[in-house]
Amino acid sequence: QVQLVQSGGGLVQPGGSLRLSCAASGIIFSIYHMGWYRQAPGKQRELVATITSGGSTNYADSVKGRFTISRDNAKNTQYLQMNSLKPEDTAVYYCNVKEPGAYGMGYWGKGTLVTVSS
């Protein structure tokens, strides 16, 4: 069975930093693509960042230059480092894993709330 355990959410001030973690089990971690998505109140879920099994990354324009996605295959964990946080970054953040070529969107973590407010 596939399990994704998230941690690292919380309340931060504008301009602050936060690091999210997502530990996976039940998959061959090194061959999976990874990513982070977020959903703000009243809005649709949107892509934040992705990283392939080969280490290639891409980011939503709204977070480019502020957020960094990474993965540690030895720990079966992916991370999202968030710097220079803005109030509009407030959302529930979800991690995702997907085997290349597989049908659908893969597997999801339960989400963690990030609130950016003074």
Side-chain angles (χ1 to χ4, degrees):
Q1 49 190 343
V2 178
Q3 291 184 305
L4 303 179
V5 179
Q6 298 186 219
S7 62
L11 174 65
V12 296
Q13 294 183 333
S17 297
L18 205 61
R19 191 191 196 196
L20 305 182
S21 299
C22 177
S25 61
I27 63 170
I28 305 174
F29 188 89
S30 62
I31 69 170
Y32 272 62
H33 297 331
M34 312 284 165
W36 293 88
Y37 297 73
R38 68 186 182 187
Q39 187 166 21
K43 300 183 67 176
Q44 292 185 298
R45 187 174 300 188
E46 64 176 349
L47 184 148
V48 177
T50 61
I51 183 167
T52 69
S53 60
S56 297
T57 60
N58 69 82
Y59 299 89
D61 288 342
S62 59
V63 308
K64 200 169 298 181
R66 300 186 298 120
F67 290 11
T68 303
I69 186 172
S70 62
R71 61 191 293 165
D72 187 338
N73 290 345
K75 296 181 178 179
N76 284 4
T77 302
Q78 63 171 311
Y79 306 93
L80 185 68
Q81 178 67 47
M82 303 182 292
N83 299 326
S84 302
L85 282 161
K86 305 174 181 179
E88 50 263 45
D89 294 318
T90 296
V92 176
Y93 285 71
Y94 300 88
C95 63
N96 171 267
V97 301
K98 187 178 187 299
E99 184 178 10
Y103 177 81
M105 289 296 295
Y107 301 95
W108 296 90
K110 72 175 184 178
T112 186
L113 178 63
V114 172
T115 302
V116 184
S117 176
S118 59

